[in-house]
Amino acid sequence: MEIFEIAELIRSVNMYEIAAKTNEGLILTSDEEKVVSQLDTHFKEIGKKGHDSEHEIASFIQKVINEEIYNTPDELLGLLFEQGTIGTFDDFEDITAPKNTLIAYDAAKGGNVPRSFLDIGKLVPTWKNMQIETDISFADLERDGWKKVSTITEFAIATFKNRMFAAIFDVIDAAIASGENYLEAAGAKPTQADMDAISLYINDRTESGVIVALSKYVQAASKLTGFVSDEMKNEVHRTGRLGTYDGVSLTPISSAKKLGDDTKLLKDKRMYGVAGKLGVINMKGEVKTYQIEDPNKEVFHIMFKDFTFGFAFNDTALENVFKMTLK
């Protein structure tokens, strides 16, 4: 199969969706099966020869990664940040949403009072650039073909997205260590008083806030006694957790989802309440995928470079975040 035939195949379907369905063992449509069958044969042949002169593995993975990362904004981060993309050599700065710092003074008619101004400033982004390197052995590719490539592709996308999520929340966590939006809970699980405090803070600021925490803390909050109705009890029995607490959406982050170094996506012993948008995230350029053949080790060395993003928010925006630490 020629490289233009590969390009035509993957243009006609959602290759990330097919990769995810393949890895989860889900049923493919007839069109998807046709694409997978041809790609499987082709990748196995590359593994058998131990040679890929057109770097078709890297070209395929790069196309799928960039379509998924840049065309499908992260759902949770999309609730918290405006998301966009800029060119490889571009930069950006954002204007903060105005904070109402106007002051009304008692005054005599016809007199003057001190001037007050809206608090508007510029946000300079924090930039992060991430990279992944791995190997695909000739033998694995010859044996597993499409399955090997689809697994590497889906895992690379998940790794980049998860690392971005963790990096942003690490910065948010470090920035809040005191104040009215910080609470040190007395126990290892949230109490009703703890949940009332976080939900009240959020509801005072928005009608569409979210509480984000590892799933074990969301589950614990869902099973608090003294405030639940029969309807809420049924929801917990049906799904294992509540969807909201006092009108604030509960968003669990699975403790089973971890980064490659075995750390969780979200810090343990934390709950965060977020009231509205905090700032801006921009992806910069596109991920580049390279491959180098190493016949001595019988592997293709795969490099995913330039996963670059910038995010910007300030102390005023962080007033919309409530951080609770647990014992």
Side-chain angles (χ1 to χ4, degrees):
M1 187 181 296
E2 301 293 337
I3 190 168
F4 70 86
E5 294 178 288
I6 294 286
E8 189 63 31
L9 272 177
I10 65 179
R11 189 180 299 118
S12 64
V13 292
N14 185 323
M15 289 309 307
Y16 174 75
E17 184 176 317
I18 296 178
K21 289 170 71 174
T22 299
N23 296 331
E24 293 175 18
L26 301 179
I27 296 175
L28 303 177
T29 67
S30 57
D31 287 343
E32 291 170 342
E33 286 181 346
K34 180 181 178 181
V35 171
V36 166
S37 175
Q38 294 186 59
L39 289 175
D40 186 59
T41 299
H42 188 64
F43 288 136
K44 284 179 177 177
E45 185 63 26
I46 290 175
K48 183 177 180 180
K49 292 187 295 187
H51 182 59
D52 184 6
S53 60
E54 300 294 338
H55 294 175
E56 292 179 51
I57 299 171
S59 296
F60 170 81
I61 294 175
Q62 178 171 301
K63 181 180 188 301
V64 178
I65 285 178
N66 284 319
E67 285 185 352
E68 174 61 18
I69 287 176
Y70 296 95
N71 295 339
T72 311
D74 182 274
E75 185 176 355
L76 178 55
L77 289 180
L79 290 174
L80 311 183
F81 292 87
E82 297 293 343
Q83 293 182 279
T85 61
I86 60 175
T88 302
F89 304 106
D90 295 336
D91 205 344
F92 80 95
E93 60 182 24
D94 191 47
I95 303 299
T96 63
K99 183 178 180 180
N100 189 356
T101 48
L102 298 178
I103 301 172
Y105 296 91
D106 290 330
K109 286 191 173 183
N112 296 101
V113 298
R115 286 178 290 179
S116 56
F117 304 90
L118 293 179
D119 182 4
I120 302 175
K122 291 183 178 180
L123 299 179
V124 178
T126 297
W127 288 104
K128 298 280 187 180
N129 183 70
M130 296 175 180
Q131 182 170 324
I132 299 170
E133 296 191 34
T134 189
D135 289 338
I136 300 176
S137 74
F138 296 168
D140 284 350
L141 190 61
E142 183 180 1
R143 181 184 64 249
D144 299 326
W146 156 253
K147 183 62 185 293
K148 185 66 178 179
V149 176
S150 69
T151 300
I152 290 287
T153 303
E154 187 185 13
F155 283 11
I157 291 170
T159 298
F160 277 136
K161 284 190 171 184
N162 289 344
R163 187 67 188 88
M164 177 170 67
F165 179 89
I168 291 172
F169 265 87
D170 281 348
V171 172
I172 292 173
D173 183 83
I176 302 174
S178 62
E180 65 173 330
N181 59 337
Y182 177 72
L183 172 66
E184 290 187 6
K189 295 181 179 180
T191 65
Q192 186 174 343
D194 296 332
M195 293 304 298
D196 287 347
I198 192 171
S199 62
L200 175 61
Y201 189 91
I202 300 307
N203 282 327
D204 273 349
R205 288 159 176 78
T206 183
E207 295 181 354
S208 56
V210 295
I211 294 173
V212 184
L214 293 177
S215 53
K216 60 183 177 181
Y217 301 122
V218 171
Q219 185 183 60
S222 298
K223 296 182 178 180
L224 291 171
T225 59
F227 76 103
V228 293
S229 64
D230 287 341
E231 182 181 350
M232 295 164 74
K233 288 178 181 177
N234 290 334
E235 183 178 359
V236 172
H237 287 313
R238 187 174 63 253
T239 66
R241 65 177 180 86
L242 294 175
T244 62
Y245 185 100
D246 279 355
V248 182
S249 296
L250 295 172
T251 303
I253 304 298
S254 172
S255 300
K257 288 186 178 181
K258 297 181 181 180
L259 304 175
D261 59 2
D262 208 37
T263 58
K264 295 179 174 63
L265 272 62
L266 204 64
K267 286 186 180 297
D268 199 3
K269 301 179 181 178
R270 299 285 195 279
M271 298 189 79
Y272 305 93
V274 185
K277 301 284 187 181
L278 301 180
V280 177
I281 300 174
N282 273 322
M283 305 303 301
K284 188 171 188 177
E286 293 188 336
V287 174
K288 299 180 180 67
T289 307
Y290 302 95
Q291 71 182 70
I292 301 171
E293 293 171 16
D294 188 339
N296 292 320
K297 294 183 179 179
E298 297 188 358
V299 299
F300 293 106
H301 182 57
I302 309 295
M303 295 172 283
F304 308 91
K305 295 189 174 184
D306 297 336
F307 180 85
T308 306
F309 62 94
F311 57 96
F313 54 84
N314 62 4
D315 292 341
T316 300
L318 287 176
E319 292 175 5
N320 288 329
V321 181
F322 187 99
K323 171 184 168 183
M324 180 165 66
T325 61
L326 298 154
K327 296 295 184 184

mmCIF file of all heavy atoms in Angstrom, residues 182-191 193-195 269 271 322-327:
data_model
loop_
_atom_site.group_PDB
_atom_site.id
_atom_site.type_symbol
_atom_site.label_atom_id
_atom_site.label_comp_id
_atom_site.label_asym_id
_atom_site.label_seq_id
_atom_site.Cartn_x
_atom_site.Cartn_y
_atom_site.Cartn_z
ATOM 1 N N TYR A 182 -9.712 28.962 51.395
ATOM 2 C CA TYR A 182 -8.880 27.821 51.793
ATOM 3 C C TYR A 182 -9.411 27.235 53.097
ATOM 4 O O TYR A 182 -9.715 27.966 54.046
ATOM 5 C CB TYR A 182 -7.429 28.260 51.979
ATOM 6 C CG TYR A 182 -6.503 27.163 52.466
ATOM 7 C CD1 TYR A 182 -6.126 26.132 51.623
ATOM 8 C CD2 TYR A 182 -6.021 27.162 53.781
ATOM 9 C CE1 TYR A 182 -5.279 25.115 52.061
ATOM 10 C CE2 TYR A 182 -5.171 26.151 54.223
ATOM 11 C CZ TYR A 182 -4.806 25.135 53.361
ATOM 12 O OH TYR A 182 -3.979 24.131 53.791
ATOM 13 N N LEU A 183 -9.546 25.904 53.129
ATOM 14 C CA LEU A 183 -10.066 25.234 54.322
ATOM 15 C C LEU A 183 -9.252 23.979 54.605
ATOM 16 O O LEU A 183 -9.058 23.148 53.712
ATOM 17 C CB LEU A 183 -11.539 24.846 54.126
ATOM 18 C CG LEU A 183 -12.182 23.966 55.211
ATOM 19 C CD1 LEU A 183 -12.282 24.729 56.525
ATOM 20 C CD2 LEU A 183 -13.552 23.478 54.763
ATOM 21 N N GLU A 184 -8.784 23.848 55.826
ATOM 22 C CA GLU A 184 -8.155 22.612 56.274
ATOM 23 C C GLU A 184 -9.193 21.787 57.008
ATOM 24 O O GLU A 184 -9.612 22.141 58.110
ATOM 25 C CB GLU A 184 -6.951 22.901 57.179
ATOM 26 C CG GLU A 184 -5.763 23.503 56.462
ATOM 27 C CD GLU A 184 -4.548 23.611 57.369
ATOM 28 O OE1 GLU A 184 -4.607 23.117 58.523
ATOM 29 O OE2 GLU A 184 -3.535 24.183 56.925
ATOM 30 N N ALA A 185 -9.635 20.708 56.395
ATOM 31 C CA ALA A 185 -10.644 19.853 57.009
ATOM 32 C C ALA A 185 -10.041 19.077 58.164
ATOM 33 O O ALA A 185 -8.837 18.800 58.189
ATOM 34 C CB ALA A 185 -11.226 18.901 55.981
ATOM 35 N N ALA A 186 -10.872 18.684 59.099
ATOM 36 C CA ALA A 186 -10.382 17.997 60.293
ATOM 37 C C ALA A 186 -10.169 16.507 60.066
ATOM 38 O O ALA A 186 -9.418 15.865 60.802
ATOM 39 C CB ALA A 186 -11.365 18.197 61.449
ATOM 40 N N GLY A 187 -10.837 15.952 59.059
ATOM 41 C CA GLY A 187 -10.774 14.507 58.871
ATOM 42 C C GLY A 187 -10.218 14.091 57.536
ATOM 43 O O GLY A 187 -9.844 14.920 56.691
ATOM 44 N N ALA A 188 -10.179 12.765 57.317
ATOM 45 C CA ALA A 188 -9.670 12.201 56.064
ATOM 46 C C ALA A 188 -10.734 12.192 54.977
ATOM 47 O O ALA A 188 -10.421 11.976 53.801
ATOM 48 C CB ALA A 188 -9.157 10.778 56.302
ATOM 49 N N LYS A 189 -11.994 12.407 55.368
ATOM 50 C CA LYS A 189 -13.095 12.488 54.421
ATOM 51 C C LYS A 189 -13.879 13.767 54.683
ATOM 52 O O LYS A 189 -13.919 14.250 55.815
ATOM 53 C CB LYS A 189 -14.012 11.270 54.546
ATOM 54 C CG LYS A 189 -13.365 9.951 54.160
ATOM 55 C CD LYS A 189 -14.357 8.806 54.300
ATOM 56 C CE LYS A 189 -13.729 7.479 53.897
ATOM 57 N NZ LYS A 189 -14.701 6.351 54.026
ATOM 58 N N PRO A 190 -14.515 14.326 53.651
ATOM 59 C CA PRO A 190 -15.265 15.568 53.863
ATOM 60 C C PRO A 190 -16.510 15.329 54.715
ATOM 61 O O PRO A 190 -17.197 14.319 54.571
ATOM 62 C CB PRO A 190 -15.650 15.988 52.437
ATOM 63 C CG PRO A 190 -15.676 14.704 51.660
ATOM 64 C CD PRO A 190 -14.579 13.871 52.253
ATOM 65 N N THR A 191 -16.779 16.270 55.626
ATOM 66 C CA THR A 191 -17.999 16.233 56.417
ATOM 67 C C THR A 191 -19.059 17.092 55.730
ATOM 68 O O THR A 191 -18.771 17.810 54.756
ATOM 69 C CB THR A 191 -17.753 16.774 57.825
ATOM 70 O OG1 THR A 191 -17.400 18.174 57.716
ATOM 71 C CG2 THR A 191 -16.633 16.016 58.522
ATOM 72 N N ALA A 193 -20.345 19.739 56.983
ATOM 73 C CA ALA A 193 -19.922 21.136 57.188
ATOM 74 C C ALA A 193 -18.878 21.536 56.146
ATOM 75 O O ALA A 193 -18.896 22.665 55.636
ATOM 76 C CB ALA A 193 -19.374 21.317 58.600
ATOM 77 N N ASP A 194 -17.947 20.622 55.840
ATOM 78 C CA ASP A 194 -16.930 20.900 54.822
ATOM 79 C C ASP A 194 -17.586 21.130 53.463
ATOM 80 O O ASP A 194 -17.264 22.090 52.750
ATOM 81 C CB ASP A 194 -15.947 19.727 54.700
ATOM 82 C CG ASP A 194 -15.137 19.494 55.958
ATOM 83 O OD1 ASP A 194 -14.908 20.464 56.703
ATOM 84 O OD2 ASP A 194 -14.732 18.335 56.197
ATOM 85 N N MET A 195 -18.508 20.236 53.089
ATOM 86 C CA MET A 195 -19.164 20.344 51.794
ATOM 87 C C MET A 195 -20.056 21.578 51.729
ATOM 88 O O MET A 195 -20.157 22.225 50.672
ATOM 89 C CB MET A 195 -19.971 19.081 51.514
ATOM 90 C CG MET A 195 -19.138 17.818 51.324
ATOM 91 S SD MET A 195 -17.904 17.973 50.002
ATOM 92 C CE MET A 195 -18.975 18.238 48.576
ATOM 93 N N LYS A 269 -5.881 14.002 48.853
ATOM 94 C CA LYS A 269 -6.294 14.790 50.019
ATOM 95 C C LYS A 269 -6.621 16.235 49.645
ATOM 96 O O LYS A 269 -6.301 17.180 50.367
ATOM 97 C CB LYS A 269 -5.214 14.751 51.105
ATOM 98 C CG LYS A 269 -4.889 13.340 51.583
ATOM 99 C CD LYS A 269 -3.811 13.326 52.638
ATOM 100 C CE LYS A 269 -3.494 11.898 53.076
ATOM 101 N NZ LYS A 269 -2.423 11.832 54.077
ATOM 102 N N MET A 271 -9.814 18.770 47.627
ATOM 103 C CA MET A 271 -11.047 19.018 46.903
ATOM 104 C C MET A 271 -11.020 20.471 46.447
ATOM 105 O O MET A 271 -10.605 21.358 47.207
ATOM 106 C CB MET A 271 -12.290 18.750 47.765
ATOM 107 C CG MET A 271 -12.420 17.314 48.234
ATOM 108 S SD MET A 271 -14.010 16.938 49.039
ATOM 109 C CE MET A 271 -15.080 16.755 47.600
ATOM 110 N N PHE A 322 -11.989 27.451 45.391
ATOM 111 C CA PHE A 322 -11.965 27.096 46.824
ATOM 112 C C PHE A 322 -11.177 25.807 46.958
ATOM 113 O O PHE A 322 -11.493 24.811 46.335
ATOM 114 C CB PHE A 322 -13.399 26.895 47.331
ATOM 115 C CG PHE A 322 -13.494 26.693 48.824
ATOM 116 C CD1 PHE A 322 -13.834 27.751 49.663
ATOM 117 C CD2 PHE A 322 -13.248 25.459 49.393
ATOM 118 C CE1 PHE A 322 -13.939 27.574 51.035
ATOM 119 C CE2 PHE A 322 -13.331 25.254 50.765
ATOM 120 C CZ PHE A 322 -13.680 26.322 51.596
ATOM 121 N N LYS A 323 -10.134 25.839 47.784
ATOM 122 C CA LYS A 323 -9.296 24.658 47.984
ATOM 123 C C LYS A 323 -9.515 24.093 49.392
ATOM 124 O O LYS A 323 -9.424 24.841 50.383
ATOM 125 C CB LYS A 323 -7.815 25.021 47.812
ATOM 126 C CG LYS A 323 -6.827 23.923 48.196
ATOM 127 C CD LYS A 323 -5.396 24.432 48.068
ATOM 128 C CE LYS A 323 -4.384 23.504 48.689
ATOM 129 N NZ LYS A 323 -3.005 24.041 48.610
ATOM 130 N N MET A 324 -9.793 22.809 49.466
ATOM 131 C CA MET A 324 -9.937 22.144 50.758
ATOM 132 C C MET A 324 -8.925 21.003 50.845
ATOM 133 O O MET A 324 -8.796 20.205 49.928
ATOM 134 C CB MET A 324 -11.360 21.581 50.922
ATOM 135 C CG MET A 324 -11.590 20.859 52.246
ATOM 136 S SD MET A 324 -13.356 20.590 52.574
ATOM 137 C CE MET A 324 -13.779 19.446 51.268
ATOM 138 N N THR A 325 -8.161 20.977 51.950
ATOM 139 C CA THR A 325 -7.221 19.888 52.186
ATOM 140 C C THR A 325 -7.789 18.960 53.256
ATOM 141 O O THR A 325 -8.430 19.394 54.204
ATOM 142 C CB THR A 325 -5.841 20.409 52.639
ATOM 143 O OG1 THR A 325 -5.996 21.134 53.874
ATOM 144 C CG2 THR A 325 -5.246 21.337 51.593
ATOM 145 N N LEU A 326 -7.570 17.677 53.061
ATOM 146 C CA LEU A 326 -8.045 16.655 54.005
ATOM 147 C C LEU A 326 -6.851 16.033 54.722
ATOM 148 O O LEU A 326 -5.715 16.146 54.259
ATOM 149 C CB LEU A 326 -8.840 15.593 53.246
ATOM 150 C CG LEU A 326 -10.096 16.122 52.547
ATOM 151 C CD1 LEU A 326 -10.462 15.269 51.366
ATOM 152 C CD2 LEU A 326 -11.253 16.218 53.514
ATOM 153 N N LYS A 327 -7.101 15.408 55.837
ATOM 154 C CA LYS A 327 -6.019 14.817 56.621
ATOM 155 C C LYS A 327 -5.508 13.535 55.979
ATOM 156 O O LYS A 327 -6.259 12.789 55.375
ATOM 157 C CB LYS A 327 -6.509 14.506 58.048
ATOM 158 C CG LYS A 327 -6.885 15.749 58.829
ATOM 159 C CD LYS A 327 -5.673 16.626 59.080
ATOM 160 C CE LYS A 327 -6.041 17.839 59.969
ATOM 161 N NZ LYS A 327 -4.906 18.758 60.160
#
